[in-house]
Amino acid sequence: MLQSKLPHVGTTIFTVMSGLANEHQALNLSQGFPGFDCDPALSELVAKYTRGGFNQYAPMTGVPPLRQALAAKAVSVFGLTYDPDTEVTVTSGATEALFAALTAVIRPGDEVLIFEPAYDSYAPAIELNGGIPVYITPEGPAYAIDWTAVAGKISSRTRAVIVNTPHNPTGYVWTQADLDALAALLKPLDAWVVSDEVYEHITFDSQPHLSPASHPDLKDRTFLCGSLGKTFHVTGWKIGFCLAPKALSAEFRKIHQYLTFSTVTPVQYALAEYLGNPEHYLTVAAFYQRKRDLFVQALEASAFRFVPSQGTFFQNVSYGHLSQENDYDLAVRLTKQIGVASIPVSVFYHRKDDHKQLRFCFAKDDTMLLEAAERLSRLSW
Ligand code: PMP
Ligand code: GLN
């Protein structure tokens, strides 16, 4: 019999809840994907490049114009300098970038710090490489990081720390103090930072996005993993990237080369051209802040408690003061009974800790957001 390498892993909650939402024709605020299409100009660019014959393998590291555009964006928006030839690699989504970065650094027995709640791809990627996830659990509703607790979990066994800012599912955005604290703790160690920044362009209320790579003591140890799927409403295109210093990128590319070799060619050219206009990514934060505000204002009429999200396109709400129902059961029940699908936040904890929270994705049309909020406000507890 085949011995499972991931015995505790089943189908992801995103697939489960989107399936349930479809089955019950519910408003699907569960899986994180935009409920609207991308800019038609971007689709046109893909058509242009497929018709133009850009349909064979891309270079393993990504097409040069996209690597150049990503490097130009990193320096102009975040002040981060990367050489497009040796330090920028295009991947099949951030998921692949994260997997390749973790694979490049983890050896059997190495410990890797994860902040919980955590995106679901991190722990399996660590375990498949023989690493050991070590969990740190910032507490809601603010989710600020307790650096004394982190210090207690860091040792010479620590090989990597996974950072995710802006954070899915809490919306927490890392501060300069967080970066300083991480830099101080890692200073004496031979450890790396794998930084998941897929929501880099989605922070609210003028709070800046700060990459660990912006810290002088962290830049040389950081694999900055991102995705254009969130920024341009094209999650299905699965174009991600990894920015990392030359020596790290060289090892990263050895893994990427045998995971996928390269990624879809005409879409890379299209995105490269589209990135040429900074307005396309600089307006995304305001676009989602308006949606967040619309959704949370409408939710004020409900009995849920929440702190408005600082970034991402997710809003968490608490209901522990209303009911002791398990969050998974509640998410399923609301999908079936009132036709509003969400993600139970317990799935982001390795022990499925139930803090009585649901996550709603507000990357949806305004009418759907208002209808969902109204149905949630009519709930009787
Ligand atoms: N990290 C986080 C925090 C995410 O929310 C997502 C996706 N939805 C990913 C990584 C994966 O990104 P991609 O779809 O580009 O693989
Ligand atoms: N990242 C998305 C979310 O958090 C889902 C991605 C997926 O379906 N794997 O909802």
Side-chain angles (χ1 to χ4, degrees), residues 58-342:
M60 180 271 278
T61 56
V63 304
L66 182 53
R67 282 189 275 110
Q68 285 153 11
L70 289 168
K73 177 168 82 65
V75 76
S76 70
V77 184
F78 302 116
L80 302 172
T81 308
Y82 290 97
D83 179 338
D85 291 332
T86 56
E87 301 184 318
V88 178
T89 310
V90 180
T91 60
S92 297
T95 309
E96 195 225 342
L98 293 162
F99 195 93
L102 289 166
T103 303
V105 300
I106 300 172
R107 289 167 195 276
D110 285 346
E111 292 186 357
V112 181
L113 255 61
I114 300 183
F115 295 91
E116 277 196 329
Y119 189 58
D120 68 342
S121 81
Y122 307 153
I126 294 166
E127 284 162 7
L128 287 171
N129 282 295
I132 303 162
V134 173
Y135 295 96
I136 295 166
T137 310
E139 277 179 31
Y143 294 100
I145 297 168
D146 173 355
W147 285 100
T148 313
V150 180
K153 302 252 176 146
I154 284 195
S155 72
S156 57
R157 292 186 300 278
T158 308
R159 186 66 55 234
V161 176
I162 300 184
V163 173
N164 173 213
T165 182
H167 185 265
N168 175 8
T170 65
Y172 181 75
V173 172
W174 275 46
T175 63
Q176 187 61 46
D178 290 327
L179 296 183
D180 292 343
L182 180 65
L185 286 177
L186 293 188
K187 202 151 202 169
L189 299 178
D190 196 12
W192 311 96
V193 177
V194 175
S195 187
D196 179 346
E197 303 180 26
V198 301
Y199 302 101
E200 62 184 344
H201 294 294
I202 314 179
T203 59
F204 307 135
D205 308 318
S206 307
Q207 191 166 345
H209 165 64
L210 297 177
S211 169
S214 68
H215 195 289
D217 294 341
L218 293 174
K219 170 118 199 268
D220 287 349
R221 358 174 143 235
T222 299
F223 294 83
L224 192 172
C225 301
S227 173
L228 295 175
K230 319 287 170 181
T231 307
F232 295 141
H233 319 319
V234 288
T235 58
W237 292 5
K238 296 296 291 186
I239 299 287
F241 55 88
C242 175
L243 312 180
K246 191 172 173 185
L248 277 60
S249 284
E251 291 307 311
F252 178 93
R253 288 172 171 189
K254 290 182 190 172
I255 317 277
H256 162 71
Q257 156 165 266
Y258 295 120
L259 273 176
T260 60
F261 180 68
S262 63
T263 192
V264 59
T265 308
V267 171
Q268 288 191 58
Y269 280 106
L271 287 165
E273 190 169 331
Y274 196 71
L275 278 163
N277 181 352
E279 207 181 293
H280 291 150
Y281 46 86
L282 295 178
T283 50
V284 182
F287 172 83
Y288 278 120
Q289 182 164 330
R290 197 194 60 78
K291 286 203 178 283
R292 179 205 61 174
D293 291 346
L294 181 91
F295 186 55
V296 298
Q297 272 159 25
L299 269 188
E300 292 288 355
S302 77
F304 289 114
R305 285 189 183 147
F306 52 86
V307 177
S309 175
Q310 298 173 21
T312 76
F313 43 52
F314 300 114
Q315 178 63 53
N316 277 4
V317 304
S318 305
Y319 64 88
H321 56 295
L322 301 168
S323 151
Q324 284 310 299
E325 187 172 358
N326 171 291
D327 67 354
Y328 191 96
D329 295 342
L330 179 63
V332 169
R333 187 166 70 74
L334 293 183
T335 307
K336 292 180 177 169
Q337 287 183 358
I338 66 164
V340 179
S342 59

Side-chain angles (χ1 to χ4, degrees), residues 12 14-15 30-33 119-120 168 199 230 314 343 348 359:
T12 79
F14 309 116
T15 306
S30 65
Q31 193 177 16
F33 64 89
Y119 189 58
D120 68 342
N168 175 8
Y199 302 101
K230 319 287 170 181
F314 300 114
I343 297 288
F348 295 94
R359 187 197 80 175

